[in-house]
Amino acid sequence: MSGLSLQGIEAKKVHIASIQGKQVVHDKLPEEDFTQEQLTNAWIKYVDHLTERGQLILASIINADRPILEGTTIKLRFPNQSMKEDLEKSQGQILEYLKRELNNYLIDFKIAVDKSVTKKYVYTDQDKFSKLVEKNPAVDLLRRTFDLDF
């Protein structure tokens, strides 16, 4: 067996560990429990990481839905097939990050397309004003006080 092959390298690691008295445990990765809050925090942290690296499209897709935890399965819903496919293309790197961050290597995704998830986008000035009033009713008082349009 060559010392430069993968098997050779692994055999060398096992040999060195046995000499040092360490026990090598194969196929036993951490499976720590984690909460919905920890998952949400790791999710947001990953979106920030992607944004910093300039991967804005993937960050936007990931930020389109908040993950829902069921056991070790992360459920996601997206408004269209395209977003689902883009996430599936990158799910390896996302899962790897979450597994390391949450110290649980059983995590997996369940991704669905749900047309009801679509966000309502505000286009007209009246819609924008209504949205502002919805968030802060004092804006309408300001409009009435200064006799502004809308």
Side-chain angles (χ1 to χ4, degrees), residues 47-105:
V47 169
D48 292 342
H49 170 73
L50 288 173
T51 304
E52 288 172 8
R53 292 182 55 202
Q55 295 180 341
L56 301 179
I57 293 172
L58 183 57
S60 175
I61 290 170
I62 292 173
N63 205 25
D65 189 30
R66 288 288 175 237
I68 298 172
L69 181 63
E70 286 187 6
T72 57
T73 301
I74 298 171
K75 291 186 145 195
L76 299 165
R77 297 176 314 153
F78 292 101
N80 59 53
Q81 187 67 27
S82 174
M83 290 176 83
K84 178 185 178 202
E85 289 171 2
D86 286 344
L87 185 79
E88 286 173 339
K89 288 177 191 171
S90 301
Q91 81 177 7
Q93 73 185 52
I94 299 165
L95 279 172
E96 189 59 37
Y97 175 84
L98 291 173
K99 287 175 179 181
R100 274 193 328 266
E101 192 70 22
L102 299 169
N103 207 24
N104 186 317
Y105 285 77

Side-chain angles (χ1 to χ4, degrees), residues 1-13:
M1 184 178 332
S2 167
L4 298 177
S5 70
L6 291 177
Q7 291 174 335
I9 293 171
E10 184 63 26
K12 185 176 179 180
K13 284 182 185 177

Side-chain angles (χ1 to χ4, degrees), residues 8-150:
I9 293 171
E10 184 63 26
K12 185 176 179 180
K13 284 182 185 177
V14 171
H15 176 70
I16 291 172
S18 67
I19 291 172
Q20 295 174 346
K22 295 179 183 174
Q23 187 170 357
V24 178
V25 180
H26 294 284
D27 300 327
K28 186 64 180 158
L29 297 171
E31 299 174 6
E32 288 184 16
D33 291 337
F34 58 95
T35 65
Q36 175 69 46
E37 183 179 350
Q38 289 171 314
L39 171 61
T40 302
N41 290 339
W43 194 259
I44 292 168
K45 188 175 172 184
Y46 190 66
V47 169
D48 292 342
H49 170 73
L50 288 173
T51 304
E52 288 172 8
R53 292 182 55 202
Q55 295 180 341
L56 301 179
I57 293 172
L58 183 57
S60 175
I61 290 170
I62 292 173
N63 205 25
D65 189 30
R66 288 288 175 237
I68 298 172
L69 181 63
E70 286 187 6
T72 57
T73 301
I74 298 171
K75 291 186 145 195
L76 299 165
R77 297 176 314 153
F78 292 101
N80 59 53
Q81 187 67 27
S82 174
M83 290 176 83
K84 178 185 178 202
E85 289 171 2
D86 286 344
L87 185 79
E88 286 173 339
K89 288 177 191 171
S90 301
Q91 81 177 7
Q93 73 185 52
I94 299 165
L95 279 172
E96 189 59 37
Y97 175 84
L98 291 173
K99 287 175 179 181
R100 274 193 328 266
E101 192 70 22
L102 299 169
N103 207 24
N104 186 317
Y105 285 77
L106 296 176
I107 297 172
D108 199 11
F109 280 146
K110 182 176 181 183
I111 307 167
V113 174
D114 185 355
K115 303 239 186 271
S116 68
V117 174
T118 58
K119 292 183 179 179
K120 182 182 184 299
Y121 293 97
V122 181
Y123 294 106
T124 67
D125 290 341
Q126 180 62 45
D127 289 342
K128 291 176 186 176
F129 179 76
S130 298
K131 193 71 171 171
L132 270 173
V133 170
E134 183 181 308
K135 288 184 176 187
N136 187 353
V139 171
D140 192 44
L141 175 64
L142 200 66
R143 179 196 61 82
R144 288 192 315 258
T145 302
F146 292 104
D147 196 27
L148 301 171
D149 292 338
F150 293 120

